[in-house]
Amino acid sequence: MSEKKVLYSGMQATNTLTLGNYLGALKNWVKLHEEYECIFGVMDLHSLTVRQEPATFRKNARSLYALYTAAGLDPKENCVYFQSHVSAHAQLSWILSCFTYMGELSRMTQYKDKAAKHEDNVNAGLFTYPVLMAADILLYQSDVVPVGVDQKQHLEIARDIAGRFNNIYGDVFTIPEAYFGTTGAKVMSLADPTKKMSKSDENANATVLLLDDRDTIIRKFKRAVTDSDTRVYYSEDKPGVSNLMEIYSAVTGSSFDEIENEFEGKGYGDFKLAVGEAVADELAPLQKRYDELMKDKTYIDECIKENDDKARYMANKTLFKVHHKVGLVDLIR
Ligand code: TRP
């Protein structure tokens, strides 16, 4: 095993990714393996907390794997695998659920939000979602976890569970920390820039999907909601144009000052078009690579198999240790 610290993250296997997922997370994950031992999951078990149509779900999960790869998350440099292919996740999750209190799970804001949104399907999985997430992280003895603000509370509970377990049984789990390295851009909805860009948004114009074609991307940016002004500058009370600047900056690498200078004397129309074109240019090679990968089933299959095996090996090491610590009879090997 290398001396590098372990970094763990993943995304749910639902729908196609948005520009927000890409600029906020995925794009920044690509280089992390230079510094960390990186493990990224396709979190398909978590997706089951919401009803999935099986054929679409299976397709989306594979598609997410290909998107990770197409975005530059090289499965030869990173362990990129399917959560459901490593049974230790579900197994550790059960054990950890016996060390998690109903009270702490009831305080999770995401649970409260989701329960309100899916009133007809408030299943136990939705409630124990953070325990499975804790298992994901703790199985790999992860040191750092890059997560967005909406997942901070879940990381916090993973730390609490790990600490509680370690207090009883000794040092079993590494206590994970939030990763504060290069943080990604925070991309807001194009229709309502006070809201985060979300794949579940009902307004199709609010969200740019990673697989949108060039014309669609440019059209969506042209329609992006901005405020009643014309000058391009960054300001808290100009959320629309500021969001576009954030996106343009993430894609081109220009600072806000440079962007202001570049568009000095030009209006919002020119700027929106430029952002749309820059985003389309950025995504074009990714989309091309994605198409190639989706056609080359053998390459992806080989990567999945190799990395599933790697993940299983690491995860089982922790799981067997936990079994032993809590007093389960050791496997006879
Ligand atoms: N819950 C995370 C999300 O929706 C996905 C996730 C599952 C995750 N397990 C994880 C993220 C472990 C980081 C680490 O974004």
Side-chain angles (χ1 to χ4, degrees):
M1 204 53 178
S2 70
E3 298 296 298
K4 289 178 181 169
K5 287 190 166 187
V6 178
L7 180 143
Y8 189 95
S9 200
M11 290 182 191
Q12 284 204 48
T14 21
N15 292 323
T16 169
L17 298 188
T18 70
L19 184 66
N21 300 128
Y22 176 66
L23 295 179
L26 190 49
K27 183 176 154 81
N28 310 287
W29 290 355
V30 168
K31 283 194 169 300
L32 294 172
H33 69 85
E34 290 167 6
E35 205 182 326
Y36 296 94
E37 168 94 28
C38 288
I39 309 168
F40 296 103
V42 172
M43 301 308 187
D44 48 0
L45 293 176
H46 276 110
S47 303
L48 288 174
T49 52
V50 176
R51 198 75 70 232
Q52 304 291 341
E53 197 285 303
T56 315
F57 181 35
R58 188 173 296 121
K59 205 178 110 247
N60 284 342
R62 262 193 92 91
S63 158
L64 179 59
Y65 197 98
L67 273 177
Y68 275 177
T69 311
L73 203 65
D74 186 350
K76 303 281 177 190
E77 300 283 355
N78 302 272
C79 181
V80 188
Y81 76 104
F82 284 90
Q83 182 189 32
S84 66
H85 293 182
V86 179
S87 46
H89 288 256
Q91 293 171 283
L92 182 64
S93 179
W94 167 255
I95 296 177
L96 295 182
S97 75
C98 301
F99 294 84
T100 309
Y101 297 107
M102 303 289 286
E104 38 185 5
L105 290 175
S106 334
R107 285 194 292 275
M108 295 291 115
T109 52
Q110 188 172 70
Y111 167 70
K112 289 192 266 187
D113 290 351
K114 285 198 180 170
K117 226 166 110 188
H118 303 278
E119 257 180 351
D120 52 338
N121 186 18
V122 185
N123 59 71
L126 211 52
F127 191 63
T128 56
Y129 182 113
V131 183
L132 179 59
M133 183 160 158
D136 301 338
I137 298 167
L138 301 179
L139 273 176
Y140 299 91
Q141 304 293 347
S142 312
D143 296 285
V144 287
V145 184
V147 284
V149 273
D150 57 329
Q151 298 296 317
K152 280 247 169 74
Q153 209 183 14
H154 290 161
L155 181 60
E156 215 35 63
I157 198 173
R159 289 166 53 85
D160 291 345
I161 297 170
R164 186 172 303 147
F165 196 93
N166 284 355
N167 270 335
I168 308 174
Y169 299 105
D171 276 342
V172 177
F173 296 124
T174 302
I175 309 282
E177 314 246 353
Y179 172 78
F180 290 116
T182 38
T183 49
K186 190 159 180 244
V187 178
M188 311 303 278
S189 153
L190 298 187
D192 175 359
T194 60
K195 273 190 355 202
K196 211 177 121 176
M197 184 179 283
S198 156
K199 41 190 168 188
S200 51
D201 204 308
E202 274 148 32
N203 181 349
N205 286 322
T207 309
V208 174
L209 301 178
L210 275 201
L211 297 176
D212 276 345
D213 62 36
R214 186 177 185 87
D215 290 347
T216 308
I217 294 172
I218 292 175
R219 177 172 46 78
K220 285 179 177 176
F221 276 103
K222 277 191 186 159
R223 292 203 185 144
V225 169
T226 37
D227 21 74
S228 53
D229 200 335
T230 50
R231 191 162 78 83
V232 175
Y233 68 103
Y234 195 92
S235 157
E236 296 258 311
D237 54 319
K238 301 267 172 216
V241 77
S242 298
N243 183 37
L244 297 181
M245 286 178 74
E246 178 96 28
I247 294 170
Y248 194 68
S249 165
V251 169
T252 61
S254 308
S255 69
F256 292 155
D257 281 346
E258 285 163 350
I259 300 172
E260 281 176 29
N261 288 336
E262 186 182 343
F263 292 93
E264 172 100 65
K266 298 186 183 152
Y268 278 172
D270 289 337
F271 182 51
K272 288 184 189 178
L273 181 63
V275 182
E277 285 177 338
V279 169
D281 288 346
E282 162 101 3
L283 296 185
L286 183 157
Q287 295 176 347
K288 184 162 167 276
R289 178 103 181 92
Y290 170 82
D291 288 338
E292 289 163 5
L293 284 167
M294 289 303 273
K295 277 184 212 132
D296 187 359
K297 192 167 177 305
T298 30
Y299 175 72
I300 290 281
D301 281 354
E302 175 205 300
C303 294
I304 294 175
K305 184 170 178 335
E306 220 170 81
N307 283 321
D308 280 355
D309 286 346
K310 238 194 263 174
R312 210 172 281 129
Y313 176 80
M314 292 187 271
N316 280 338
K317 221 164 121 177
T318 302
L319 181 70
F320 294 148
K321 190 167 176 188
V322 168
H323 274 208
H324 185 78
K325 290 282 183 181
V326 299
L328 293 167
V329 173
D330 293 324
L331 277 183
I332 296 160
R333 281 188 283 176

